[in-house]
Amino acid sequence: MTIRVLLADDQALIRAGFAMIIGSAPDLEVVGEAHNGREAVELARSERADVVLMDIRMPELDGIEATKRIAADEDLAGVRILVQTTFENDDNIVLALRAGASGFLGKGVEPEDLVRAIRVVAGGEALLSPKATRTMIGRFLSQNEPGPLSTPEPLAALTEREREVLALAAHGLSNDDIAAKLYLSPLTAKTHVNRAMTKLGVRDRAQLVVIAYQTGLVKPGDPLP
């Protein structure tokens, strides 16, 4: 199956470079290019992209607001957003994750890593750069106004096992890592993650990480359970 990719960046040279890399992959296809956030939202609707490669800083409508609008549109529930940024320690990254992005990567990413990232988020997984540490996420959430998920009540619907899996996911563990840690099969670990996402009403693992910190289930500096 071909993964349909939409490029959203106000710099034509960057879009052209990404388009060339993506076009070289047999399973990826660029279906549109937007030079601002408003166009990105419109093209996401008209072109039915699977993944939007979204710049944060764009005119008219920035990438964070564009991400929020796409994530809030029920007709675009299957669209994954991969945020691109120049600075990987930018607090805007966490704003983008809270808005509904599935992950992020720097603009200086290597071609093979860009292709892999698109495949990862298209498959429903989260992609957090190694520099997007839990410390950065926790620091941001502790310094900003609490959001609607800032109390632990949303976790009440989760089983103890699902909470345990959520905490491990927030530490950056993959399904295979979680399975090994809890002596489960990878399929069982994935099932627990998917159930947690369904109960919490989130699109993917990136939002699970944010919720884990917002609710206090995981705190900055916590050791791995």
Coordinates of all heavy atoms in Angstrom, one line a residue, residues 82-164:
L82 N 3.4 14.6 11.3 CA 4.8 14.5 11.7 C 5.4 16.0 11.6 O 5.5 16.5 10.5 CB 5.6 13.6 10.7 CG 7.0 13.3 11.0 CD1 7.2 12.7 12.4 CD2 7.6 12.3 10.0
V83 N 5.6 16.5 12.8 CA 6.1 17.9 12.8 C 7.6 18.0 12.6 O 8.4 17.2 13.1 CB 5.8 18.5 14.2 CG1 6.4 19.8 14.4 CG2 4.3 18.6 14.4
Q84 N 8.0 19.0 11.8 CA 9.4 19.2 11.6 C 9.8 20.6 12.2 O 9.0 21.5 12.1 CB 9.7 19.2 10.0 CG 8.7 20.1 9.3 CD 9.1 20.2 7.8 OE1 10.2 20.4 7.5 NE2 8.1 20.0 6.9
T85 N 11.0 20.6 12.7 CA 11.4 21.8 13.4 C 12.9 22.0 13.3 O 13.6 21.0 13.1 CB 11.0 21.8 14.9 OG1 11.5 23.0 15.5 CG2 11.6 20.6 15.6
T86 N 13.4 23.2 13.4 CA 14.9 23.4 13.3 C 15.5 23.1 14.6 O 16.7 22.6 14.7 CB 15.1 24.9 12.9 OG1 14.5 25.2 11.7 CG2 16.6 25.1 12.7
F87 N 14.8 23.4 15.7 CA 15.4 23.2 17.1 C 14.6 22.1 17.8 O 13.4 22.2 18.1 CB 15.3 24.5 17.8 CG 16.0 25.6 17.1 CD1 15.2 26.6 16.5 CD2 17.3 25.7 17.1 CE1 15.8 27.7 15.8 CE2 17.9 26.8 16.4 CZ 17.1 27.8 15.8
E88 N 15.3 21.0 18.1 CA 14.7 19.8 18.7 C 14.4 20.0 20.2 O 13.7 19.2 20.8 CB 15.5 18.6 18.5 CG 15.6 18.2 17.0 CD 16.2 16.8 16.8 OE1 16.5 16.2 17.8 OE2 16.3 16.4 15.6
N89 N 14.8 21.1 20.8 CA 14.5 21.3 22.2 C 13.5 22.4 22.3 O 13.2 23.0 23.3 CB 15.7 21.7 23.0 CG 16.4 23.0 22.5 OD1 16.0 23.5 21.4 ND2 17.3 23.6 23.2
D90 N 12.8 22.7 21.2 CA 11.8 23.8 21.1 C 10.5 23.4 21.9 O 10.0 22.3 21.7 CB 11.4 24.0 19.6 CG 10.6 25.3 19.4 OD1 10.0 25.8 20.4 OD2 10.6 25.8 18.3
D91 N 10.1 24.2 22.8 CA 8.8 24.0 23.5 C 7.6 23.8 22.6 O 6.6 23.2 23.0 CB 8.6 25.0 24.6 CG 9.4 24.9 25.8 OD1 10.0 23.8 26.0 OD2 9.5 25.9 26.6
N92 N 7.7 24.4 21.4 CA 6.6 24.2 20.5 C 6.4 22.8 20.1 O 5.3 22.4 19.6 CB 6.9 25.1 19.2 CG 6.6 26.5 19.4 OD1 5.7 26.9 20.1 ND2 7.4 27.4 18.8
I93 N 7.4 22.0 20.2 CA 7.3 20.6 19.9 C 6.2 19.9 20.8 O 5.3 19.2 20.3 CB 8.6 19.8 20.1 CG1 9.6 20.3 19.1 CG2 8.4 18.3 20.1 CD1 11.0 19.8 19.3
V94 N 6.3 20.2 22.1 CA 5.3 19.7 23.0 C 3.9 20.3 22.7 O 2.9 19.6 22.9 CB 5.7 19.9 24.5 CG1 4.8 19.2 25.4 CG2 7.1 19.4 24.7
L95 N 3.8 21.5 22.4 CA 2.5 22.1 22.0 C 2.0 21.4 20.8 O 0.8 21.1 20.8 CB 2.7 23.6 21.6 CG 2.9 24.6 22.8 CD1 3.2 26.0 22.2 CD2 1.6 24.6 23.7
A96 N 2.8 21.0 19.9 CA 2.4 20.3 18.7 C 1.9 18.9 19.1 O 0.9 18.4 18.6 CB 3.5 20.2 17.7
L97 N 2.6 18.2 20.0 CA 2.2 16.9 20.5 C 0.8 17.0 21.1 O -0.1 16.1 21.0 CB 3.2 16.3 21.4 CG 4.6 15.9 20.8 CD1 5.5 15.4 21.9 CD2 4.4 14.9 19.7
R98 N 0.6 18.0 22.0 CA -0.7 18.2 22.6 C -1.8 18.5 21.6 O -2.9 18.2 21.9 CB -0.5 19.3 23.7 CG 0.4 19.0 24.8 CD 0.6 20.2 25.8 NE -0.6 20.4 26.6 CZ -0.7 21.4 27.5 NH1 0.4 22.1 27.7 NH2 -1.8 21.6 28.2
A99 N -1.4 19.2 20.5 CA -2.4 19.5 19.5 C -2.8 18.3 18.7 O -3.9 18.3 18.1 CB -1.8 20.6 18.6
G100 N -2.0 17.2 18.7 CA -2.4 16.0 18.0 C -1.3 15.5 17.1 O -1.6 14.5 16.3
A101 N -0.1 16.0 17.1 CA 0.9 15.5 16.3 C 1.3 14.1 16.7 O 1.3 13.8 17.9 CB 2.1 16.4 16.3
S102 N 1.8 13.3 15.8 CA 2.2 11.9 16.2 C 3.7 11.8 16.5 O 4.2 10.8 16.9 CB 1.9 10.9 15.0 OG 0.5 10.9 14.8
G103 N 4.4 12.9 16.3 CA 5.8 12.9 16.5 C 6.5 14.1 15.8 O 5.9 14.9 15.2
F104 N 7.9 14.1 15.9 CA 8.6 15.2 15.2 C 10.0 14.7 14.9 O 10.5 13.7 15.4 CB 8.6 16.4 16.1 CG 9.6 16.3 17.3 CD1 10.9 16.7 17.1 CD2 9.2 15.7 18.5 CE1 11.8 16.6 18.2 CE2 10.1 15.5 19.5 CZ 11.4 16.0 19.4
L105 N 10.6 15.5 14.0 CA 12.0 15.3 13.7 C 12.6 16.6 13.2 O 11.9 17.5 12.8 CB 12.2 14.2 12.6 CG 11.7 14.5 11.2 CD1 12.2 13.4 10.2 CD2 10.2 14.6 11.0
G106 N 13.9 16.7 13.2 CA 14.6 18.0 12.8 C 14.6 18.1 11.3 O 14.6 17.1 10.6
K107 N 14.7 19.3 10.8 CA 14.8 19.5 9.4 C 16.1 19.0 8.8 O 16.2 18.8 7.6 CB 14.7 21.0 9.1 CG 13.3 21.5 9.2 CD 13.1 22.9 8.7 CE 11.7 23.4 8.8 NZ 11.5 24.8 8.3
G108 N 17.1 18.8 9.6 CA 18.4 18.2 9.1 C 18.4 16.7 9.1 O 19.5 16.1 9.0
V109 N 17.3 16.1 9.2 CA 17.2 14.6 9.2 C 17.8 14.0 8.0 O 17.8 14.5 6.9 CB 15.7 14.2 9.4 CG1 14.9 14.6 8.1 CG2 15.6 12.7 9.7
E110 N 18.4 12.8 8.2 CA 19.0 12.1 7.1 C 17.9 11.5 6.2 O 16.8 11.2 6.8 CB 19.9 10.9 7.6 CG 21.1 11.4 8.3 CD 22.1 12.1 7.4 OE1 22.2 11.8 6.2 OE2 22.8 13.1 7.9
P111 N 18.1 11.4 4.9 CA 17.0 10.9 4.0 C 16.4 9.6 4.5 O 15.2 9.4 4.5 CB 17.7 10.7 2.7 CG 18.8 11.7 2.7 CD 19.3 11.8 4.2
E112 N 17.2 8.6 4.9 CA 16.7 7.3 5.3 C 15.9 7.4 6.6 O 14.9 6.7 6.8 CB 17.8 6.3 5.5 CG 18.8 6.6 6.5 CD 20.0 7.4 6.0 OE1 19.9 8.0 4.9 OE2 21.1 7.4 6.6
D113 N 16.2 8.4 7.4 CA 15.5 8.6 8.7 C 14.1 9.2 8.4 O 13.2 9.0 9.1 CB 16.3 9.4 9.7 CG 17.5 8.6 10.2 OD1 17.4 7.4 10.3 OD2 18.5 9.3 10.6
L114 N 14.1 10.1 7.4 CA 12.9 10.8 7.0 C 11.9 9.7 6.5 O 10.7 9.7 6.9 CB 13.1 11.8 6.0 CG 11.8 12.4 5.3 CD1 11.0 13.2 6.4 CD2 12.2 13.4 4.2
V115 N 12.3 8.9 5.6 CA 11.5 7.8 5.1 C 11.0 6.9 6.2 O 9.8 6.5 6.2 CB 12.2 7.0 4.0 CG1 11.4 5.8 3.6 CG2 12.5 7.9 2.8
R116 N 11.9 6.5 7.1 CA 11.5 5.6 8.2 C 10.5 6.3 9.1 O 9.5 5.7 9.5 CB 12.7 5.2 9.0 CG 12.4 4.3 10.2 CD 13.6 4.0 11.0 NE 14.1 5.2 11.7 CZ 13.5 5.6 12.9 NH1 12.6 4.9 13.5 NH2 13.9 6.7 13.5
A117 N 10.7 7.6 9.3 CA 9.7 8.3 10.2 C 8.3 8.3 9.6 O 7.3 8.2 10.4 CB 10.2 9.7 10.4
I118 N 8.2 8.6 8.4 CA 6.9 8.6 7.7 C 6.2 7.2 7.8 O 5.0 7.1 8.1 CB 7.1 9.0 6.2 CG1 7.5 10.5 6.2 CG2 5.8 8.8 5.5 CD1 7.9 11.0 4.8
R119 N 7.0 6.2 7.6 CA 6.4 4.8 7.7 C 6.0 4.5 9.1 O 4.9 3.9 9.3 CB 7.5 3.8 7.3 CG 7.8 3.8 5.8 CD 8.9 3.0 5.4 NE 9.2 2.9 4.0 CZ 10.4 2.7 3.4 NH1 11.4 2.4 4.2 NH2 10.5 2.7 2.1
V120 N 6.8 5.0 10.1 CA 6.4 4.7 11.5 C 5.1 5.4 11.9 O 4.2 4.7 12.4 CB 7.6 5.2 12.5 CG1 7.1 5.3 13.9 CG2 8.8 4.3 12.3
V121 N 5.0 6.7 11.6 CA 3.7 7.4 12.0 C 2.5 6.9 11.2 O 1.4 6.9 11.6 CB 3.9 8.9 12.0 CG1 4.9 9.4 12.9 CG2 4.2 9.4 10.6
A122 N 2.8 6.5 9.9 CA 1.7 6.0 9.1 C 1.1 4.7 9.7 O 0.0 4.4 9.5 CB 2.2 5.8 7.6
G123 N 2.0 4.0 10.4 CA 1.6 2.7 11.0 C 0.9 2.9 12.3 O 0.6 1.9 13.0
G124 N 0.8 4.2 12.7 CA 0.1 4.4 14.0 C 0.9 4.5 15.2 O 0.5 4.7 16.3
E125 N 2.3 4.5 15.0 CA 3.2 4.6 16.1 C 3.6 6.1 16.4 O 3.3 6.9 15.5 CB 4.4 3.8 15.9 CG 4.2 2.3 15.8 CD 3.8 1.7 17.2 OE1 4.2 2.2 18.2 OE2 3.1 0.7 17.2
A126 N 4.1 6.4 17.5 CA 4.6 7.7 17.8 C 6.1 7.8 17.4 O 6.8 6.8 17.5 CB 4.5 8.1 19.2
L127 N 6.6 8.9 17.0 CA 8.0 9.1 16.7 C 8.5 10.3 17.5 O 8.1 11.5 17.2 CB 8.2 9.4 15.2 CG 9.6 9.5 14.8 CD1 10.2 8.1 14.6 CD2 9.8 10.3 13.6
L128 N 9.2 10.0 18.5 CA 9.8 11.1 19.3 C 11.3 11.1 19.2 O 12.0 10.0 19.5 CB 9.5 10.9 20.8 CG 8.0 10.9 21.1 CD1 7.7 10.7 22.6 CD2 7.3 12.2 20.7
S129 N 11.9 12.1 18.7 CA 13.4 12.2 18.5 C 14.0 11.9 19.9 O 13.5 12.2 20.9 CB 13.7 13.6 18.1 OG 15.1 13.9 18.3
P130 N 15.2 11.3 19.8 CA 15.9 11.1 21.1 C 16.1 12.3 22.0 O 16.2 12.2 23.2 CB 17.3 10.6 20.6 CG 17.0 9.9 19.3 CD 15.9 10.8 18.7
K131 N 16.1 13.5 21.4 CA 16.2 14.7 22.1 C 14.9 15.2 22.8 O 14.9 16.1 23.6 CB 16.8 15.8 21.3 CG 18.2 15.6 20.9 CD 18.8 16.8 20.1 CE 20.3 16.5 19.7 NZ 20.9 17.7 19.0
A132 N 13.8 14.5 22.4 CA 12.5 14.8 23.0 C 12.4 14.0 24.2 O 11.6 13.1 24.3 CB 11.4 14.6 22.0
T133 N 13.2 14.2 25.2 CA 13.2 13.4 26.4 C 12.0 13.7 27.3 O 11.3 14.7 27.2 CB 14.5 13.7 27.2 OG1 14.5 15.1 27.6 CG2 15.7 13.5 26.4
R134 N 11.8 12.7 28.2 CA 10.7 12.9 29.2 C 11.0 14.1 30.1 O 10.1 14.8 30.6 CB 10.5 11.7 30.0 CG 11.8 11.1 30.7 CD 11.5 9.7 31.1 NE 12.8 9.1 31.5 CZ 13.2 9.0 32.8 NH1 12.6 9.6 33.7 NH2 14.3 8.4 33.1
T135 N 12.3 14.5 30.3 CA 12.6 15.6 31.1 C 12.1 16.9 30.4 O 11.5 17.8 31.0 CB 14.1 15.8 31.3 OG1 14.6 14.6 32.0 CG2 14.5 17.0 32.1
M136 N 12.3 17.0 29.1 CA 11.8 18.2 28.3 C 10.3 18.3 28.4 O 9.7 19.4 28.6 CB 12.2 18.1 26.9 CG 11.9 19.4 26.1 SD 12.0 19.1 24.3 CE 10.5 18.1 24.0
I137 N 9.6 17.2 28.2 CA 8.1 17.2 28.2 C 7.6 17.6 29.6 O 6.7 18.4 29.7 CB 7.6 15.8 27.8 CG1 7.9 15.5 26.3 CG2 6.1 15.7 28.0 CD1 7.6 14.1 25.9
G138 N 8.2 16.9 30.6 CA 7.8 17.3 32.0 C 8.1 18.7 32.3 O 7.2 19.3 33.0
R139 N 9.2 19.2 31.9 CA 9.5 20.6 32.2 C 8.5 21.6 31.6 O 8.0 22.5 32.2 CB 10.9 21.0 31.7 CG 11.3 22.4 31.8 CD 12.7 22.7 31.3 NE 12.9 22.3 29.9 CZ 12.5 23.0 28.9 NH1 11.9 24.2 29.1 NH2 12.7 22.6 27.6
F140 N 8.2 21.3 30.3 CA 7.2 22.1 29.6 C 5.9 22.1 30.3 O 5.3 23.2 30.6 CB 7.0 21.7 28.2 CG 6.0 22.4 27.5 CD1 6.2 23.6 26.9 CD2 4.6 22.0 27.4 CE1 5.2 24.4 26.2 CE2 3.6 22.7 26.8 CZ 3.9 23.9 26.2
L141 N 5.4 20.9 30.7 CA 4.1 20.8 31.3 C 4.0 21.4 32.7 O 3.0 22.0 33.1 CB 3.6 19.3 31.4 CG 3.4 18.7 30.0 CD1 3.1 17.2 30.2 CD2 2.2 19.4 29.3
S142 N 5.2 21.4 33.4 CA 5.2 22.0 34.7 C 5.3 23.5 34.7 O 4.9 24.2 35.7 CB 6.4 21.5 35.5 OG 7.6 21.9 34.9
Q143 N 5.7 24.1 33.6 CA 5.9 25.5 33.5 C 4.7 26.2 32.8 O 4.6 27.4 32.8 CB 7.1 25.9 32.7 CG 8.4 25.5 33.4 CD 9.6 25.8 32.6 OE1 9.5 26.1 31.4 NE2 10.8 25.7 33.2
N144 N 3.8 25.4 32.3 CA 2.6 26.0 31.5 C 1.3 25.8 32.2 O 1.2 24.9 33.1 CB 2.6 25.5 30.1 CG 3.7 26.0 29.3 OD1 3.6 27.0 28.6 ND2 4.9 25.4 29.3
E145 N 0.3 26.5 31.8 CA -1.0 26.3 32.4 C -1.5 24.9 32.2 O -1.4 24.3 31.1 CB -2.0 27.3 31.7 CG -1.8 28.7 32.0 CD -2.0 29.0 33.5 OE1 -2.9 28.4 34.1 OE2 -1.3 29.8 34.1
P146 N -2.0 24.3 33.2 CA -2.5 22.9 33.1 C -3.7 22.8 32.1 O -4.5 23.7 32.0 CB -3.0 22.5 34.5 CG -3.3 23.9 35.2 CD -2.3 24.8 34.6
G147 N -3.7 21.8 31.3 CA -4.7 21.6 30.3 C -5.9 20.9 30.9 O -6.0 20.6 32.1
P148 N -6.8 20.5 30.0 CA -8.0 19.8 30.4 C -7.7 18.4 31.0 O -8.6 17.8 31.7 CB -8.9 19.7 29.2 CG -7.9 19.8 28.0 CD -6.8 20.7 28.5
L149 N -6.5 17.9 30.8 CA -6.2 16.6 31.3 C -5.2 16.6 32.5 O -4.4 15.8 32.7 CB -5.6 15.7 30.2 CG -6.5 15.4 29.0 CD1 -5.8 14.7 27.9 CD2 -7.8 14.6 29.4
S150 N -5.3 17.7 33.2 CA -4.3 18.0 34.2 C -4.6 17.3 35.6 O -3.9 17.4 36.5 CB -4.1 19.5 34.5 OG -5.3 20.0 34.9
T151 N -5.7 16.6 35.6 CA -6.1 15.8 36.9 C -6.1 14.4 36.5 O -6.2 14.0 35.4 CB -7.4 16.3 37.4 OG1 -8.4 16.1 36.3 CG2 -7.4 17.8 37.7
P152 N -5.9 13.5 37.6 CA -5.8 12.1 37.3 C -7.1 11.4 36.9 O -7.1 10.2 36.6 CB -5.3 11.5 38.6 CG -5.7 12.5 39.6 CD -5.7 13.8 39.0
E153 N -8.3 12.1 36.9 CA -9.5 11.4 36.6 C -9.6 10.7 35.3 O -10.2 9.6 35.2 CB -10.7 12.4 36.7 CG -11.2 12.8 38.1 CD -10.2 13.7 38.8 OE1 -9.3 14.2 38.2 OE2 -10.4 13.9 40.0
P154 N -9.0 11.2 34.2 CA -9.0 10.5 33.0 C -8.5 9.0 33.1 O -8.8 8.2 32.3 CB -8.2 11.3 32.0 CG -8.3 12.7 32.6 CD -8.3 12.5 34.1
L155 N -7.6 8.8 34.0 CA -7.0 7.5 34.2 C -7.9 6.5 34.9 O -7.6 5.3 35.0 CB -5.6 7.6 34.9 CG -4.6 8.5 34.3 CD1 -3.3 8.4 35.0 CD2 -4.4 8.1 32.8
A156 N -9.0 6.9 35.5 CA -9.8 6.1 36.3 C -10.4 4.9 35.5 O -10.7 3.8 36.0 CB -11.0 6.9 36.8
A157 N -10.5 5.1 34.2 CA -11.1 4.1 33.3 C -10.1 3.0 33.0 O -10.5 1.9 32.5 CB -11.6 4.6 32.0
L158 N -8.8 3.2 33.3 CA -7.8 2.2 32.9 C -7.6 1.2 34.0 O -7.8 1.4 35.2 CB -6.4 2.9 32.8 CG -6.3 4.0 31.7 CD1 -4.9 4.5 31.6 CD2 -6.8 3.6 30.4
T159 N -7.3 0.0 33.6 CA -7.0 -1.1 34.5 C -5.6 -0.9 35.1 O -4.8 0.0 34.5 CB -7.0 -2.5 33.8 OG1 -6.0 -2.5 32.8 CG2 -8.4 -2.7 33.2
E160 N -5.2 -1.6 36.1 CA -3.9 -1.4 36.7 C -2.8 -1.8 35.6 O -1.8 -1.1 35.5 CB -3.7 -2.3 37.9 CG -4.4 -1.8 39.1 CD -3.8 -0.4 39.5 OE1 -2.5 -0.2 39.5 OE2 -4.6 0.5 39.8
R161 N -3.1 -2.8 34.8 CA -2.1 -3.2 33.8 C -2.0 -2.1 32.7 O -0.9 -1.8 32.3 CB -2.5 -4.5 33.2 CG -1.6 -5.0 32.0 CD -0.2 -5.2 32.5 NE 0.0 -6.6 33.0 CZ 1.1 -7.0 33.6 NH1 2.1 -6.2 33.8 NH2 1.1 -8.3 34.1
E162 N -3.1 -1.5 32.4 CA -3.1 -0.5 31.4 C -2.3 0.8 31.9 O -1.6 1.4 31.1 CB -4.5 -0.1 30.9 CG -5.2 -1.2 30.1 CD -6.7 -1.0 30.0 OE1 -7.2 -0.2 30.6 OE2 -7.3 -1.8 29.2
R163 N -2.5 1.1 33.2 CA -1.7 2.2 33.7 C -0.2 1.9 33.7 O 0.6 2.7 33.4 CB -2.1 2.4 35.2 CG -3.5 3.1 35.3 CD -3.8 3.5 36.7 NE -5.1 4.0 36.9 CZ -5.4 4.9 37.8 NH1 -4.5 5.5 38.6 NH2 -6.6 5.4 38.0
E164 N 0.1 0.6 34.0 CA 1.5 0.2 34.0 C 2.1 0.3 32.6 O 3.2 0.8 32.4 CB 1.6 -1.3 34.5 CG 3.0 -1.7 34.9 CD 2.9 -3.1 35.5 OE1 1.9 -3.8 35.4 OE2 3.9 -3.5 36.1

